[in-house]
Amino acid sequence: RSNIQFLPFLTTHVNNLGWLYYGFLKSDWTLISVNCIGASLQSLYILVYLRFTPEKGSVALKCLLSLGVLLLGYCYFYLQIPEVDKRLNQLGLFFSIFTISMYLSPLTDLAKIIRSKSVKCLSFPLTVTTFLTSTS
């Protein structure tokens, strides 16, 4: 069994798409370019994962559900908060919290490691990459 998990790809993709929307609202070309590249790479990773996973239906459903939730979130912020400055503040806060929770998600793996006393479920390159990006 592989130790490559799908959830980090999906949450990073949703995170990139959220910050991309924020960047467009703010007209911040740095945010737009960084998150456009990130979303493109995550799309590629998800497509490759989808191609080779035996659980295609489950992975496709998770992708569709997350995109649906993201679309509902966009609609909520757009329709319920018409003033752009307030929308920017709310979106910034929401995606900041989402980003922090994304970095907390490996704690579930940490609990598995402690219970099993084995690092077999841990993806070391993913852990190092997450650490490096969280320090930037």
Side-chain angles (χ1 to χ4, degrees):
R1 188 176 188 291
S2 172
N3 65 350
I4 297 174
Q5 297 177 12
F6 177 67
L7 190 60
F9 295 124
L10 189 59
T11 55
T12 303
H13 190 54
V14 170
N15 194 37
N16 285 134
L17 292 173
W19 284 113
L20 184 61
Y21 179 58
Y22 181 84
F24 276 118
L25 281 177
K26 196 170 169 106
S27 297
D28 184 329
W29 292 104
T30 302
L31 274 174
I32 293 169
S33 59
V34 165
N35 287 290
C36 191
I37 292 168
S40 299
L41 288 172
Q42 289 303 322
S43 294
L44 176 66
Y45 300 154
I46 288 171
L47 289 172
V48 168
Y49 191 95
L50 187 58
R51 166 73 173 89
F52 292 104
T53 186
E55 303 164 354
K56 288 179 181 20
S58 172
V59 170
L61 181 62
K62 288 175 186 175
C63 288
L64 289 174
L65 285 174
S66 67
L67 289 176
V69 168
L70 189 63
L71 184 61
L72 285 173
Y74 285 169
C75 290
Y76 168 79
F77 282 108
Y78 184 77
L79 296 173
Q80 296 295 326
I81 309 172
E83 190 179 317
V84 176
D85 287 339
K86 283 186 180 180
R87 194 178 324 147
L88 276 170
N89 287 336
Q90 293 296 314
L91 273 172
L93 177 63
F94 177 79
F95 281 107
S96 293
I97 291 169
F98 186 83
T99 301
I100 290 167
S101 69
M102 200 174 77
Y103 289 119
L104 290 174
S105 65
L107 289 177
T108 58
D109 285 341
L110 187 60
K112 284 183 202 173
I113 290 167
I114 291 170
R115 276 195 306 271
S116 67
K117 297 180 181 165
S118 171
V119 293
K120 288 182 181 178
C121 66
L122 183 65
S123 170
F124 185 71
L126 183 61
T127 303
V128 171
T129 305
T130 301
F131 172 73
L132 292 174
T133 57
S134 66
T135 60
S136 62

mmCIF file with all atom_site columns, all heavy atoms in Angstrom, residues 103 124-134:
data_model
loop_
_atom_site.group_PDB
_atom_site.id
_atom_site.type_symbol
_atom_site.label_atom_id
_atom_site.label_alt_id
_atom_site.label_comp_id
_atom_site.label_asym_id
_atom_site.label_entity_id
_atom_site.label_seq_id
_atom_site.pdbx_PDB_ins_code
_atom_site.Cartn_x
_atom_site.Cartn_y
_atom_site.Cartn_z
_atom_site.occupancy
_atom_site.B_iso_or_equiv
_atom_site.pdbx_formal_charge
_atom_site.auth_seq_id
_atom_site.auth_comp_id
_atom_site.auth_asym_id
_atom_site.auth_atom_id
_atom_site.pdbx_PDB_model_num
ATOM 1  N N   . TYR A 1 103 ? -2.300 23.239 7.366  1.00 0.00 ? 103 TYR A N   1
ATOM 2  C CA  . TYR A 1 103 ? -1.026 22.869 7.968  1.00 0.00 ? 103 TYR A CA  1
ATOM 3  C C   . TYR A 1 103 ? -1.206 22.054 9.243  1.00 0.00 ? 103 TYR A C   1
ATOM 4  O O   . TYR A 1 103 ? -0.280 21.378 9.687  1.00 0.00 ? 103 TYR A O   1
ATOM 5  C CB  . TYR A 1 103 ? -0.176 24.105 8.241  1.00 0.00 ? 103 TYR A CB  1
ATOM 6  C CG  . TYR A 1 103 ? 0.348  24.736 6.970  1.00 0.00 ? 103 TYR A CG  1
ATOM 7  C CD1 . TYR A 1 103 ? 0.018  26.038 6.619  1.00 0.00 ? 103 TYR A CD1 1
ATOM 8  C CD2 . TYR A 1 103 ? 1.155  24.015 6.106  1.00 0.00 ? 103 TYR A CD2 1
ATOM 9  C CE1 . TYR A 1 103 ? 0.488  26.603 5.445  1.00 0.00 ? 103 TYR A CE1 1
ATOM 10 C CE2 . TYR A 1 103 ? 1.625  24.566 4.933  1.00 0.00 ? 103 TYR A CE2 1
ATOM 11 C CZ  . TYR A 1 103 ? 1.290  25.860 4.616  1.00 0.00 ? 103 TYR A CZ  1
ATOM 12 O OH  . TYR A 1 103 ? 1.758  26.405 3.451  1.00 0.00 ? 103 TYR A OH  1
ATOM 13 N N   . PHE A 1 124 ? 7.544  11.419 3.897  1.00 0.00 ? 124 PHE A N   1
ATOM 14 C CA  . PHE A 1 124 ? 8.599  12.318 4.339  1.00 0.00 ? 124 PHE A CA  1
ATOM 15 C C   . PHE A 1 124 ? 8.779  13.511 3.396  1.00 0.00 ? 124 PHE A C   1
ATOM 16 O O   . PHE A 1 124 ? 8.855  14.649 3.868  1.00 0.00 ? 124 PHE A O   1
ATOM 17 C CB  . PHE A 1 124 ? 9.919  11.554 4.521  1.00 0.00 ? 124 PHE A CB  1
ATOM 18 C CG  . PHE A 1 124 ? 11.009 12.412 5.084  1.00 0.00 ? 124 PHE A CG  1
ATOM 19 C CD1 . PHE A 1 124 ? 10.959 12.827 6.411  1.00 0.00 ? 124 PHE A CD1 1
ATOM 20 C CD2 . PHE A 1 124 ? 12.076 12.830 4.293  1.00 0.00 ? 124 PHE A CD2 1
ATOM 21 C CE1 . PHE A 1 124 ? 11.956 13.631 6.944  1.00 0.00 ? 124 PHE A CE1 1
ATOM 22 C CE2 . PHE A 1 124 ? 13.061 13.635 4.816  1.00 0.00 ? 124 PHE A CE2 1
ATOM 23 C CZ  . PHE A 1 124 ? 13.013 14.035 6.139  1.00 0.00 ? 124 PHE A CZ  1
ATOM 24 N N   . PRO A 1 125 ? 8.831  13.320 2.067  1.00 0.00 ? 125 PRO A N   1
ATOM 25 C CA  . PRO A 1 125 ? 8.971  14.495 1.188  1.00 0.00 ? 125 PRO A CA  1
ATOM 26 C C   . PRO A 1 125 ? 7.820  15.490 1.341  1.00 0.00 ? 125 PRO A C   1
ATOM 27 O O   . PRO A 1 125 ? 8.038  16.700 1.349  1.00 0.00 ? 125 PRO A O   1
ATOM 28 C CB  . PRO A 1 125 ? 8.987  13.893 -0.221 1.00 0.00 ? 125 PRO A CB  1
ATOM 29 C CG  . PRO A 1 125 ? 9.448  12.494 -0.035 1.00 0.00 ? 125 PRO A CG  1
ATOM 30 C CD  . PRO A 1 125 ? 8.908  12.079 1.300  1.00 0.00 ? 125 PRO A CD  1
ATOM 31 N N   . LEU A 1 126 ? 6.606  14.983 1.504  1.00 0.00 ? 126 LEU A N   1
ATOM 32 C CA  . LEU A 1 126 ? 5.460  15.874 1.689  1.00 0.00 ? 126 LEU A CA  1
ATOM 33 C C   . LEU A 1 126 ? 5.575  16.628 3.007  1.00 0.00 ? 126 LEU A C   1
ATOM 34 O O   . LEU A 1 126 ? 5.275  17.820 3.084  1.00 0.00 ? 126 LEU A O   1
ATOM 35 C CB  . LEU A 1 126 ? 4.155  15.073 1.638  1.00 0.00 ? 126 LEU A CB  1
ATOM 36 C CG  . LEU A 1 126 ? 2.866  15.873 1.742  1.00 0.00 ? 126 LEU A CG  1
ATOM 37 C CD1 . LEU A 1 126 ? 2.751  16.859 0.579  1.00 0.00 ? 126 LEU A CD1 1
ATOM 38 C CD2 . LEU A 1 126 ? 1.671  14.947 1.776  1.00 0.00 ? 126 LEU A CD2 1
ATOM 39 N N   . THR A 1 127 ? 6.038  15.961 4.044  1.00 0.00 ? 127 THR A N   1
ATOM 40 C CA  . THR A 1 127 ? 6.211  16.595 5.344  1.00 0.00 ? 127 THR A CA  1
ATOM 41 C C   . THR A 1 127 ? 7.255  17.705 5.266  1.00 0.00 ? 127 THR A C   1
ATOM 42 O O   . THR A 1 127 ? 7.040  18.815 5.774  1.00 0.00 ? 127 THR A O   1
ATOM 43 C CB  . THR A 1 127 ? 6.626  15.550 6.401  1.00 0.00 ? 127 THR A CB  1
ATOM 44 O OG1 . THR A 1 127 ? 5.639  14.525 6.426  1.00 0.00 ? 127 THR A OG1 1
ATOM 45 C CG2 . THR A 1 127 ? 6.767  16.170 7.761  1.00 0.00 ? 127 THR A CG2 1
ATOM 46 N N   . VAL A 1 128 ? 8.371  17.440 4.643  1.00 0.00 ? 128 VAL A N   1
ATOM 47 C CA  . VAL A 1 128 ? 9.430  18.441 4.511  1.00 0.00 ? 128 VAL A CA  1
ATOM 48 C C   . VAL A 1 128 ? 8.958  19.614 3.671  1.00 0.00 ? 128 VAL A C   1
ATOM 49 O O   . VAL A 1 128 ? 9.172  20.784 4.025  1.00 0.00 ? 128 VAL A O   1
ATOM 50 C CB  . VAL A 1 128 ? 10.721 17.813 3.925  1.00 0.00 ? 128 VAL A CB  1
ATOM 51 C CG1 . VAL A 1 128 ? 11.741 18.882 3.579  1.00 0.00 ? 128 VAL A CG1 1
ATOM 52 C CG2 . VAL A 1 128 ? 11.315 16.807 4.891  1.00 0.00 ? 128 VAL A CG2 1
ATOM 53 N N   . THR A 1 129 ? 8.278  19.332 2.573  1.00 0.00 ? 129 THR A N   1
ATOM 54 C CA  . THR A 1 129 ? 7.773  20.402 1.701  1.00 0.00 ? 129 THR A CA  1
ATOM 55 C C   . THR A 1 129 ? 6.756  21.266 2.434  1.00 0.00 ? 129 THR A C   1
ATOM 56 O O   . THR A 1 129 ? 6.793  22.498 2.338  1.00 0.00 ? 129 THR A O   1
ATOM 57 C CB  . THR A 1 129 ? 7.136  19.794 0.438  1.00 0.00 ? 129 THR A CB  1
ATOM 58 O OG1 . THR A 1 129 ? 8.094  18.947 -0.187 1.00 0.00 ? 129 THR A OG1 1
ATOM 59 C CG2 . THR A 1 129 ? 6.707  20.859 -0.523 1.00 0.00 ? 129 THR A CG2 1
ATOM 60 N N   . THR A 1 130 ? 5.856  20.633 3.183  1.00 0.00 ? 130 THR A N   1
ATOM 61 C CA  . THR A 1 130 ? 4.879  21.389 3.955  1.00 0.00 ? 130 THR A CA  1
ATOM 62 C C   . THR A 1 130 ? 5.570  22.263 4.992  1.00 0.00 ? 130 THR A C   1
ATOM 63 O O   . THR A 1 130 ? 5.212  23.424 5.176  1.00 0.00 ? 130 THR A O   1
ATOM 64 C CB  . THR A 1 130 ? 3.880  20.423 4.662  1.00 0.00 ? 130 THR A CB  1
ATOM 65 O OG1 . THR A 1 130 ? 3.239  19.647 3.671  1.00 0.00 ? 130 THR A OG1 1
ATOM 66 C CG2 . THR A 1 130 ? 2.853  21.173 5.464  1.00 0.00 ? 130 THR A CG2 1
ATOM 67 N N   . PHE A 1 131 ? 6.584  21.725 5.654  1.00 0.00 ? 131 PHE A N   1
ATOM 68 C CA  . PHE A 1 131 ? 7.338  22.511 6.626  1.00 0.00 ? 131 PHE A CA  1
ATOM 69 C C   . PHE A 1 131 ? 8.000  23.719 5.970  1.00 0.00 ? 131 PHE A C   1
ATOM 70 O O   . PHE A 1 131 ? 7.911  24.839 6.464  1.00 0.00 ? 131 PHE A O   1
ATOM 71 C CB  . PHE A 1 131 ? 8.395  21.636 7.320  1.00 0.00 ? 131 PHE A CB  1
ATOM 72 C CG  . PHE A 1 131 ? 9.329  22.418 8.190  1.00 0.00 ? 131 PHE A CG  1
ATOM 73 C CD1 . PHE A 1 131 ? 8.880  22.923 9.405  1.00 0.00 ? 131 PHE A CD1 1
ATOM 74 C CD2 . PHE A 1 131 ? 10.629 22.672 7.785  1.00 0.00 ? 131 PHE A CD2 1
ATOM 75 C CE1 . PHE A 1 131 ? 9.739  23.670 10.202 1.00 0.00 ? 131 PHE A CE1 1
ATOM 76 C CE2 . PHE A 1 131 ? 11.484 23.404 8.574  1.00 0.00 ? 131 PHE A CE2 1
ATOM 77 C CZ  . PHE A 1 131 ? 11.055 23.907 9.803  1.00 0.00 ? 131 PHE A CZ  1
ATOM 78 N N   . LEU A 1 132 ? 8.633  23.495 4.830  1.00 0.00 ? 132 LEU A N   1
ATOM 79 C CA  . LEU A 1 132 ? 9.320  24.597 4.150  1.00 0.00 ? 132 LEU A CA  1
ATOM 80 C C   . LEU A 1 132 ? 8.356  25.675 3.664  1.00 0.00 ? 132 LEU A C   1
ATOM 81 O O   . LEU A 1 132 ? 8.632  26.872 3.796  1.00 0.00 ? 132 LEU A O   1
ATOM 82 C CB  . LEU A 1 132 ? 10.163 24.061 2.994  1.00 0.00 ? 132 LEU A CB  1
ATOM 83 C CG  . LEU A 1 132 ? 11.366 23.209 3.393  1.00 0.00 ? 132 LEU A CG  1
ATOM 84 C CD1 . LEU A 1 132 ? 12.037 22.619 2.155  1.00 0.00 ? 132 LEU A CD1 1
ATOM 85 C CD2 . LEU A 1 132 ? 12.364 24.008 4.219  1.00 0.00 ? 132 LEU A CD2 1
ATOM 86 N N   . THR A 1 133 ? 7.208  25.270 3.120  1.00 0.00 ? 133 THR A N   1
ATOM 87 C CA  . THR A 1 133 ? 6.262  26.277 2.642  1.00 0.00 ? 133 THR A CA  1
ATOM 88 C C   . THR A 1 133 ? 5.601  27.009 3.794  1.00 0.00 ? 133 THR A C   1
ATOM 89 O O   . THR A 1 133 ? 5.257  28.183 3.659  1.00 0.00 ? 133 THR A O   1
ATOM 90 C CB  . THR A 1 133 ? 5.176  25.650 1.743  1.00 0.00 ? 133 THR A CB  1
ATOM 91 O OG1 . THR A 1 133 ? 4.498  24.639 2.453  1.00 0.00 ? 133 THR A OG1 1
ATOM 92 C CG2 . THR A 1 133 ? 5.763  25.104 0.458  1.00 0.00 ? 133 THR A CG2 1
ATOM 93 N N   . SER A 1 134 ? 5.425  26.350 4.929  1.00 0.00 ? 134 SER A N   1
ATOM 94 C CA  . SER A 1 134 ? 4.788  27.026 6.053  1.00 0.00 ? 134 SER A CA  1
ATOM 95 C C   . SER A 1 134 ? 5.709  28.037 6.715  1.00 0.00 ? 134 SER A C   1
ATOM 96 O O   . SER A 1 134 ? 5.259  28.928 7.410  1.00 0.00 ? 134 SER A O   1
ATOM 97 C CB  . SER A 1 134 ? 4.294  26.009 7.087  1.00 0.00 ? 134 SER A CB  1
ATOM 98 O OG  . SER A 1 134 ? 5.377  25.346 7.677  1.00 0.00 ? 134 SER A OG  1
#
